[in-house]
Amino acid sequence: MTIMTKEPHEVSGAESILTEEALAFVEELHSRFAGRRNELLAQRKQAQAAAADTGKLDFPEETRQVRESQWTVAEQSAALQDRRVEITGPAAPAKMAINALNSGAKVWLACLEDALSPTWRNLMEAQDNLYQAARRTLSFTSAEGKEYALRTDGALPTIVVRPRGWHLPEKHVEIDGVPAVGALVDFGLHFFHNAKLLHDNGEGPFYYLPKLEHYLEARLWNEVFSFAEERLGLPHGIVRATVLIETIPAAFQMDEILYELREHASGLNAGRWDYLFSMIKYFRASGSSFVLPDRAQVGMTQPFMRAYTELLVKTCHQRNAFAMGGMAAFIPNRREPDVTAQAIEKVRDDKSREANDGFDGSWVAHPDLVEICAEEFTRVLGDRPHQIDRKREDVSVSATDLLNVADAEGDVTEAGVRANIYVATYYTAVWLSGNGAVAIHNLMEDAATAEISRSQLWQQIHNGTITADTGTKVTKELVDAFFAEEMEKLRADISDEQTFTKYFEPAAEIVRKLVLDDEYQDFLTLPAYELLA
């Protein structure tokens, strides 16, 4: 096989990442595992079509023995024993990476996925930042001369890297004329350069695995880990992976996913926003009983979300794995004290609920929220690093409970329809400009929330949903008219006309087409990716 990078070293430091040896390792990963990945992606479509026809999912009968037998995952790494607060964010730019590492969190989820726009520059800078962070040499000087460096007055968080999901390609790396698998590029480059050093220092290598839809996809990751360890002459089992349970089929296979990764597993995470996206996507054509209220009304106390998170805690603790809570989207705004006070109160309530439900830690998106999350978990944990010993034997969750969208409280409103158009377009524009996470109306939005927004619109149109506040039927014509109006609002909110023309107009075209087309596109980021540098 031959490998070609379309755009080589446009980022300072990338020459140390894109070495001949590292690229050969990525090529070998692709050669061994891309074919199986393609088969599993095809199986996703078949499974989704079958579920849509029946409006049902169930726990797999063929793996009943896995669910009912006694087994546990491998002993947890010392560096991951205390995960009470994890800060999430993109691994680039360097300033954000340094702020995350200096935040006081126990773990930094260094994102190469939903919080990072996958431009080639961003991906290479992210890999270089992770390379330097592993060696404690990461620093940055702004254009104004302000210097940023890693703290020396306290411990730095353990780094857990989130590569892209199985579905995403990497067009800048071609192997025999075919785009490489994005997940294998992300994992391969990071593992090749950092795994031995991280292992020698007792700091890794650790990963978060996004958007799995089947235990066989977890099996494929386990095979990748085992091969990578052997190929580089490292001990078997040094990788530890936390899987985001952020798709509805994965919620029915939590035991199985942990079992497949048991020699490499650390835990599961309640990826709440992608979970809502998956629920809409999977059952978008299964009738009005699967139409969710406005996104702002679908919190973690809704019955089907409670069922999902309680089952996750029970499953993890039965297997001696960590149960990690999800992101509270509210973020402080230092220019608006009232907004900040409200955000902190909402985050505190969210983290208190998770800690009391049995989670071992949770996520925040902003350094100002680290202490809040830590306080709420410490109230429950005390000096203990986790609460895996709390097995939640009181929890009993059925397939019906997990799919009980019909009992969700709330309504679809015209304001919610408009908000979905605004958020999906705004985020996509920012993503096209090279930023993967952005604050919109004091909420931290990433690709998952944009996916929810555009998917709700498609589902509402195709189910003829009636808005509760105006009594209007959601149709293509109505949504198209709202698009024009929301674009005028965006034009007024974006002061730079050049930015609006360059990013917001193509973003609106992408989102509008996805929402109004009869055929549903599984991921917004796939057509948007074609416009990225």
Side-chain angles (χ1 to χ4, degrees):
M1 300 181 75
T2 58
I3 189 165
M4 178 190 74
T5 54
K6 288 184 176 179
E7 301 174 30
H9 308 136
E10 68 172 74
V11 181
S12 176
E15 63 275 5
S16 63
I17 302 299
L18 297 177
T19 64
E20 183 177 343
E21 296 81 6
L23 290 173
F25 181 65
V26 170
E27 178 184 14
E28 198 165 0
L29 292 175
H30 184 95
S31 174
R32 286 176 174 268
F33 301 111
R36 181 57 177 152
R37 168 261 199 179
N38 295 340
E39 294 172 359
L40 291 171
L41 291 184
Q43 290 175 20
R44 283 185 180 183
K45 291 185 176 296
Q46 298 169 9
Q48 191 279 321
D53 287 343
T54 62
K56 295 179 181 179
L57 275 174
D58 209 339
F59 302 97
E61 183 59 34
E62 75 271 14
T63 54
R64 177 180 293 274
Q65 184 178 358
V66 170
R67 294 192 300 276
E68 295 181 353
S69 59
Q70 298 298 314
W71 53 269
T72 60
V73 301
E75 183 178 355
Q76 298 293 338
S77 169
L80 285 176
Q81 285 291 321
D82 190 335
R83 304 177 65 172
R84 69 188 66 202
V85 54
E86 301 189 346
I87 189 166
T88 76
K95 176 183 173 181
M96 290 189 71
I98 293 168
N99 286 341
L101 287 165
N102 290 344
S103 67
K106 294 292 186 181
V107 169
W108 173 38
L109 187 159
C111 187
L112 302 175
E113 199 229 5
D114 273 5
L116 184 82
S117 174
T119 66
W120 190 232
R121 174 178 291 276
N122 282 348
L123 289 165
M124 288 300 97
E125 183 178 350
Q127 289 283 354
D128 188 46
N129 289 342
L130 292 169
Y131 181 94
Q132 293 187 57
R135 291 155 179 81
R136 301 293 191 264
T137 59
L138 182 60
S139 63
F140 171 71
T141 302
S142 71
E144 299 75 28
K146 185 175 181 180
E147 296 182 352
Y148 297 81
L150 298 181
R151 64 188 298 179
T152 57
D153 62 343
L156 297 179
T158 298
I159 299 173
V160 182
V161 177
R162 177 165 65 173
R164 282 170 283 182
W166 280 130
H167 62 288
L168 290 167
E170 177 44 67
K171 64 184 179 182
H172 298 95
V173 177
E174 291 186 355
I175 299 173
D176 285 351
V178 177
V181 179
L184 297 179
V185 173
D186 296 343
F187 166 78
L189 291 176
H190 179 264
F191 188 90
F192 182 85
H193 288 295
N194 304 294
K196 184 180 187 304
L197 175 64
L198 291 170
H199 173 60
D200 289 346
N201 293 339
E203 298 171 345
F206 305 136
Y207 299 94
Y208 258 107
L209 304 180
K211 295 185 176 56
L212 270 64
E213 294 194 17
H214 199 280
Y215 64 86
L216 293 179
E217 297 178 20
R219 181 182 296 176
L220 181 59
W221 266 119
N222 196 65
E223 291 170 355
V224 170
F225 295 152
S226 295
F227 170 78
E229 290 163 343
E230 181 180 3
R231 178 67 178 79
L232 297 189
L234 298 171
H236 178 74
I238 64 169
V239 170
R240 284 291 180 271
T242 305
V243 177
L244 291 117
I245 302 299
E246 55 184 355
T247 69
I248 183 63
F252 288 84
Q253 301 180 34
M254 289 192 259
D255 272 306
E256 291 86 342
I257 287 169
L258 283 174
Y259 182 80
E260 293 294 344
L261 284 160
R262 61 194 181 279
E263 295 175 342
H264 294 109
S266 179
L268 304 177
N269 172 278
R272 59 179 69 172
W273 305 126
D274 267 300
Y275 189 76
L276 290 177
F277 163 45
S278 178
M279 180 72 82
I280 299 165
K281 176 169 68 173
Y282 232 70
F283 296 106
R284 62 185 182 269
S286 299
S288 59
S289 64
F290 283 97
V291 175
L292 288 163
D294 290 349
R295 178 170 71 95
Q297 301 178 44
V298 187
M300 298 308 294
T301 58
Q302 295 281 17
F304 75 99
M305 295 299 282
R306 289 288 293 163
Y308 148 64
T309 55
E310 296 222 301
L311 180 60
L312 188 147
V313 172
K314 178 180 182 178
T315 303
C316 285
H317 288 183
Q318 283 185 330
R319 308 307 182 185
N320 289 353
F322 292 115
M324 303 306 301
M327 177 69 73
F330 305 101
I331 57 173
N333 185 332
R334 293 169 182 171
R335 294 184 298 275
E336 299 182 36
D338 290 343
V339 170
T340 294
Q342 293 174 19
I344 288 175
E345 182 178 355
K346 289 176 179 177
V347 171
R348 190 179 294 281
D349 288 345
D350 184 69
K351 302 312 171 189
S352 175
R353 174 190 52 77
E354 289 180 324
N356 283 287
D357 280 350
F359 282 95
D360 301 295
S362 190
W363 287 3
V364 297
H366 194 284
D368 288 355
L369 300 177
V370 168
E371 186 175 351
I372 304 300
C373 183
E375 286 175 357
E376 293 308 313
F377 272 86
T378 300
R379 288 184 204 277
V380 174
L381 296 177
D383 294 333
R384 296 176 299 158
H386 53 74
Q387 51 184 331
I388 287 176
D389 59 343
R390 189 178 171 197
K391 300 301 182 183
R392 292 304 311 268
E393 299 290 353
D394 57 306
V395 171
S396 178
V397 173
S398 68
T400 301
D401 295 330
L402 290 172
L403 298 179
N404 187 19
V405 174
D407 283 349
E409 296 181 358
D411 299 301
V412 175
T413 67
E414 180 177 305
V417 173
R418 291 180 176 275
N420 278 340
I421 294 170
Y422 186 98
V423 168
T425 304
Y426 195 127
Y427 176 80
T428 303
V430 172
W431 193 86
L432 290 174
S433 76
N435 292 317
V438 61
I440 305 176
H441 299 154
N442 298 306
L443 296 176
M444 183 58 72
E445 309 284 9
D446 68 5
T449 48
E451 293 282 28
I452 294 170
S453 297
R454 64 94 182 181
S455 297
Q456 277 198 309
L457 293 166
W458 192 98
Q459 185 185 37
Q460 290 160 359
I461 289 170
H462 287 264
N463 283 277
T465 303
I466 306 297
T467 59
D469 51 346
T470 63
T472 305
K473 183 178 181 179
V474 181
T475 63
K476 288 185 179 182
E477 292 73 22
L478 181 76
V479 171
D480 201 21
F482 286 175
F483 255 101
E485 294 172 15
E486 294 305 310
M487 280 298 287
E488 289 307 308
K489 292 181 185 177
L490 283 164
R491 185 183 294 275
D493 291 343
I494 305 303
S495 57
D496 188 338
E497 183 65 27
Q498 185 176 356
T499 297
F500 187 85
T501 301
K502 185 174 182 180
Y503 299 117
F504 282 80
E505 289 181 353
E509 183 177 347
I510 291 170
V511 175
R512 181 178 173 277
K513 185 176 189 303
L514 290 174
V515 168
L516 299 181
D517 271 6
D518 288 334
E519 292 296 320
Y520 178 88
Q521 171 69 259
D522 281 346
F523 292 98
L524 179 158
T525 46
L526 288 174
Y529 184 55
E530 296 306 311
L531 301 182
L532 277 186

